[in-house]
Amino acid sequence: MEKRTTYREQTDIKNTLRLREILKALPPFCRDYFRALEATTTTRTRISYAYDIRIFFQFLLEENPAFRGYSMNRFTVDVLDQIHAVDIEEYQEYLKVYQNSQKTTTNGERGLKRKMSSLRSFYSYYYKREMIHTNPAVLVDMPKLHQKAITRLDADEVAMLLDYIEHAGDTLTGQKKAYYEKTKERDLALVTLLLGTGIRVSECVGLDVEDIDFKNNGIKVTRKGGNEMIVYFGEEVAEALHRYLEVRKGVTPVAGHEHALFYSTQRKRMGVQAVENLVKKYASQITTTKKITPHKLRSTYGTALYQETGDIYLVADVLGHSDVNTTKKHYAAMDDSRRRKAASAVTLREHMEK
């Protein structure tokens, strides 16, 4: 029997080829660093690092007078010893707004922190291997991240969202109605699965039909770090999947996409962007004050699971978090309700009897 190439393996092949192209636009000495990263990072992470490091060298070429007239190929590892902490601070300032190929790019707190973390990792590799004598990246403070309130759907909004997907066709006509009817069971199964398991959108689009086990109501997902795990689901999810699979039988997939669980209207495996657009389209009909994405559906599940079980370690395990502190964000809504109770818990003045 021919071995099935998983979505993750296909993605890794594409990303590996893409990374090779990006590395051609970096100084040759950088390749050692990216080769060393292979054992501990995903191809997607290495691509992000490569883009970040490329921006750093572009900054040196464009903004640092010492490297005027240089080209990428001319940089050697010795250049890292010519950079001082003040240069790194200037780079951090540059990252807030810069132009790249006639396009203006901006970075908020998270973008800044990621790019500075990439640079620290880059410097650390060469410093630990004694290929450079200084490490100015560690002398510059990392940008501070301000915690944002996590957006999630309330229980009534979850019901409204699923009801809307199920009955949206009632108000449609013509081509819109035909398209809705064609995708209704798929969309309902997909959103129900996200809300009922808390899996990541990347894990969702990576599912193959063979990954579903209805006997135990579980799906086999490949987590962020590459580990496989069985995530269990309830009857509502099972029913939605069964209905969709009946519709899926009538789809003739494009070659190479035969195993995908969720198909696009082009009969190919759905991508992350398509799922994000789908969730945004339906959620915008339910709430205009909350920007709902697949990740917000994951937060909704995490909060609901904690409220039902009170077991933060179970929630961390099911969501695939390696650090339980990450999970604690998912029950911030419960803290909000406790804080609201606190407002009336303390009496400042006794009510005087009339």
Side-chain angles (χ1 to χ4, degrees):
M1 187 178 172
E2 191 180 340
K3 185 180 179 293
R4 172 164 55 102
T5 304
T6 65
Y7 170 74
R8 184 183 178 83
E9 289 167 341
Q10 290 171 344
T11 303
D12 276 348
I13 291 167
K14 282 183 197 170
N15 284 345
T16 299
L17 295 174
R18 190 170 153 209
L19 180 60
R20 285 177 188 168
E21 287 304 308
I22 302 167
L23 289 181
K24 289 177 184 176
L26 282 170
F29 76 88
C30 298
R31 292 182 188 186
D32 294 337
Y33 166 69
F34 284 97
R35 202 175 296 114
L37 282 182
E38 281 185 28
T40 56
T41 59
T42 63
T43 49
R44 189 178 169 189
T45 298
R46 294 198 292 280
I47 284 173
S48 295
Y49 275 35
Y51 279 129
D52 293 346
I53 300 304
R54 189 171 74 179
I55 293 165
F56 174 66
F57 283 107
Q58 283 173 347
F59 160 75
L60 294 182
L61 290 172
E62 292 169 15
E63 305 292 329
N64 195 312
F67 305 107
R68 193 157 285 143
Y70 266 58
S71 63
M72 280 287 186
N73 286 338
R74 192 176 160 190
F75 283 122
T76 60
V77 71
D78 303 335
V79 72
L80 300 182
D81 268 329
Q82 297 174 48
I83 305 299
H84 304 287
V86 68
D87 298 312
I88 306 282
E89 287 169 349
E90 285 176 3
Y91 170 59
Q92 189 167 300
E93 182 64 30
Y94 168 84
L95 285 173
K96 291 176 182 176
V97 186
Y98 62 93
Q99 282 214 311
N100 194 359
S101 303
Q102 308 303 313
K103 178 186 165 191
T104 301
T105 302
T106 60
N107 282 287
E109 290 175 350
R110 292 184 184 281
L112 277 175
K113 186 159 188 176
R114 197 200 78 190
K115 288 175 174 60
M116 293 303 292
S117 294
S118 299
L119 188 62
R120 275 195 173 189
S121 168
F122 186 66
Y123 255 95
S124 176
Y125 169 79
Y126 294 102
Y127 186 71
K128 282 179 180 176
R129 282 156 185 75
E130 298 181 337
M131 296 168 78
I132 56 175
H133 306 292
T134 58
N135 188 358
V138 294
L139 303 176
V140 177
D141 292 334
M142 292 289 277
K144 186 179 178 182
L145 287 185
H146 294 87
Q147 203 66 283
K148 290 182 180 177
I150 289 184
T151 305
R152 56 177 66 75
L153 291 172
D154 298 327
D156 62 326
E157 291 172 327
V158 169
M160 286 166 63
L161 175 61
L162 295 175
D163 286 346
Y164 179 77
I165 298 172
E166 206 161 16
H167 302 292
D170 297 350
T171 58
L172 300 174
T173 56
Q175 281 189 323
K176 284 187 177 179
K177 186 175 179 71
Y179 181 83
Y180 163 76
E181 292 297 342
K182 189 178 179 181
T183 60
K184 170 186 164 182
E185 296 301 345
R186 180 202 70 185
D187 295 354
L188 192 57
L190 202 155
V191 174
T192 304
L193 181 65
L194 291 173
L195 281 166
T197 60
I199 60 174
R200 297 176 177 90
V201 63
S202 58
E203 294 164 352
C204 180
V205 299
L207 287 172
D208 287 344
V209 70
E210 294 89 350
D211 293 329
I212 307 176
D213 171 16
F214 283 113
K215 183 183 174 186
N216 298 298
N217 273 8
I219 47 168
K220 183 173 74 175
V221 298
T222 304
R223 291 299 195 189
K224 242 181 174 180
N227 295 327
E228 288 186 350
M229 177 182 176
I230 301 297
V231 176
Y232 296 96
F233 52 80
E235 283 307 314
E236 286 176 283
V237 175
E239 286 172 20
L241 285 172
H242 273 302
R243 286 197 303 271
Y244 165 63
L245 288 173
E246 283 302 310
V247 175
R248 184 184 176 279
K249 287 177 185 175
V251 177
T252 305
V254 170
H257 296 263
E258 295 87 354
H259 299 281
L261 174 58
F262 292 111
Y263 288 133
S264 69
T265 50
Q266 285 79 41
R267 299 175 289 116
K268 295 179 180 179
R269 182 187 294 275
M270 284 187 81
V272 169
Q273 187 70 57
V275 176
E276 287 175 344
N277 292 341
L278 181 156
V279 169
K280 182 181 175 183
K281 177 183 75 173
Y282 287 120
S284 65
Q285 301 299 315
I286 302 306
T287 172
T288 55
T289 57
K290 296 176 181 178
K291 187 182 175 186
I292 300 300
T293 63
H295 192 75
K296 302 298 188 293
L297 301 186
R298 180 170 157 82
S299 298
T300 299
Y301 173 79
T303 301
L305 183 60
Y306 183 78
Q307 287 172 333
E308 288 297 319
T309 65
D311 188 341
I312 193 64
Y313 293 97
L314 170 66
V315 178
D317 183 44
V318 172
L319 290 178
H321 288 158
S322 54
D323 182 358
V324 76
N325 289 316
T326 305
T327 321
K328 287 179 180 175
K329 297 175 187 176
H330 289 276
Y331 68 96
M334 291 192 67
D335 292 338
D336 289 342
S337 63
R338 281 202 285 263
R339 282 198 289 270
R340 280 197 292 272
K341 285 179 185 174
S344 56
V346 177
T347 303
L348 301 180
R349 291 193 294 175
E350 291 295 332
H351 287 292
M352 293 178 67
E353 290 185 13
K354 292 184 180 177

